[in-house]
Amino acid sequence: MTAIRLLLVDDDPLVRAGLAFMMGGADDIEIVGEAADGGEVEGLVERTRPDVVLMDIRMPAMDGLAATERLRGRADAPQVVVLTTFHADEQVLRALRAGAAGFVLKDTPPAEILDAVRRVAAGDPVLSPTVTRQLMDHAAGTAAGTAADSRRSHARVRLAALGEREREVAVAVGRGLSNADIAADLFMSVATVKAHVSRLLAKLGLNNRVQIALLAYDAGLLEDTGEGTGGAERASGEEGRRGGH
């Protein structure tokens, strides 16, 4: 089995040492590099070609959010898992919008951090339903104002490119429905639902189902369904249960 190539990014040398000790002890994980600031990440990615970057959010020069946004703009971008000490933070929500494959709290048990890296490397975003709900509630609580209006307008422009069936699937994903439930609701096969989700990700330039749910939420498509913020929580649960699309 090919080892998962992992890059560690954290400005605290003690945290990096602890992560390296913990992750390096796993037979299926290879630590290929360490960085103390987000500004070092792109160069290290070029040299070491990691599969996954475990990225701290708060760093003194370039933070993990800016580094994630820059990485995810690359054609050969590795997956990114952000590290945070916050259960509900606008910055984590921004990281998810930027394309991070998930996040873990710094006080997460070591075995769960290992599992998160393995799952992300396998294409399965890691989003705790509990923490995701807190994030969505946080987003809902700050929904009013110019920034939210701009986000809604931008989301609606992006979704305007979708066909009617694609839009229905996007709303269903936003509601947190499983592929099987979407198939039953929209009278199509599960394989067809998966194909629609794959096309949505490609057409919208997104990385996972949770980003589809966030976009549908931003566009206001879930308001008529009465789903509120719960859809992205269930979308994250669907990712965890089934993996992939």
Side-chain angles (χ1 to χ4, degrees), residues 89-112:
D89 193 321
E90 176 67 27
Q91 291 184 320
V92 179
L93 189 61
R94 180 182 153 196
L96 296 179
R97 295 186 193 281
F103 61 88
V104 292
L105 300 175
K106 285 191 174 181
D107 59 359
T108 298
E112 292 184 22

Side-chain angles (χ1 to χ4, degrees), residues 55-155:
M55 180 95 72
D56 186 23
I57 286 185
R58 298 181 184 274
M59 290 179 285
M62 179 185 288
D63 65 23
L65 299 174
T68 297
E69 289 169 347
R70 289 176 61 171
L71 275 185
R72 294 307 303 173
R74 299 168 55 99
D76 58 346
Q79 298 292 344
V80 177
V81 178
V82 296
L83 286 166
T84 179
T85 56
F86 296 92
H87 285 263
D89 193 321
E90 176 67 27
Q91 291 184 320
V92 179
L93 189 61
R94 180 182 153 196
L96 296 179
R97 295 186 193 281
F103 61 88
V104 292
L105 300 175
K106 285 191 174 181
D107 59 359
T108 298
E112 292 184 22
I113 297 179
L114 283 167
D115 181 62
V117 169
R118 291 176 179 129
R119 286 173 54 189
V120 164
D124 178 10
V126 177
L127 296 163
S128 161
T130 299
V131 180
T132 301
R133 179 54 185 262
Q134 291 175 322
L135 284 170
M136 294 304 296
D137 287 344
H138 176 75
T142 58
T146 302
D149 291 342
S150 174
R151 195 161 59 233
R152 172 163 293 197
S153 176
H154 179 65

Side-chain angles (χ1 to χ4, degrees), residues 32-244:
V32 296
E34 298 181 20
D37 186 76
E40 304 171 28
V41 173
E42 277 199 287
L44 274 172
V45 166
E46 288 280 359
R47 294 195 298 273
T48 63
R49 300 294 177 183
D51 300 305
V52 179
V53 178
L54 196 56
M55 180 95 72
D56 186 23
I57 286 185
R58 298 181 184 274
M59 290 179 285
M62 179 185 288
D63 65 23
L65 299 174
T68 297
E69 289 169 347
R70 289 176 61 171
L71 275 185
R72 294 307 303 173
R74 299 168 55 99
D76 58 346
Q79 298 292 344
V80 177
V81 178
V82 296
L83 286 166
T84 179
T85 56
F86 296 92
H87 285 263
D89 193 321
E90 176 67 27
Q91 291 184 320
V92 179
L93 189 61
R94 180 182 153 196
L96 296 179
R97 295 186 193 281
F103 61 88
V104 292
L105 300 175
K106 285 191 174 181
D107 59 359
T108 298
E112 292 184 22
I113 297 179
L114 283 167
D115 181 62
V117 169
R118 291 176 179 129
R119 286 173 54 189
V120 164
D124 178 10
V126 177
L127 296 163
S128 161
T130 299
V131 180
T132 301
R133 179 54 185 262
Q134 291 175 322
L135 284 170
M136 294 304 296
D137 287 344
H138 176 75
T142 58
T146 302
D149 291 342
S150 174
R151 195 161 59 233
R152 172 163 293 197
S153 176
H154 179 65
R156 288 182 171 178
V157 168
R158 293 179 69 185
L159 292 174
L162 302 182
E164 181 179 354
R165 208 56 164 163
E166 291 171 331
R167 189 181 182 90
E168 289 176 342
V169 172
V171 171
V173 170
R175 291 170 57 202
L177 298 183
S178 69
N179 287 338
D181 288 339
I182 296 172
D185 274 12
L186 300 181
F187 304 102
M188 61 177 69
S189 70
V190 172
T192 301
V193 173
K194 290 181 178 179
H196 275 301
V197 172
S198 294
R199 282 196 295 272
L200 283 171
L201 294 172
K203 194 177 241 186
L204 297 170
L206 302 177
N207 301 131
N208 54 56
R209 295 173 76 100
V210 175
Q211 286 189 319
I212 296 176
L214 286 170
L215 192 62
Y217 173 75
D218 284 346
L221 299 185
L222 306 184
E223 292 175 358
D224 292 338
T225 70
E227 290 293 330
T229 60
E233 175 192 5
R234 289 191 296 279
S236 71
E238 168 67 6
E239 289 284 359
R241 288 191 300 275
R242 297 177 184 271

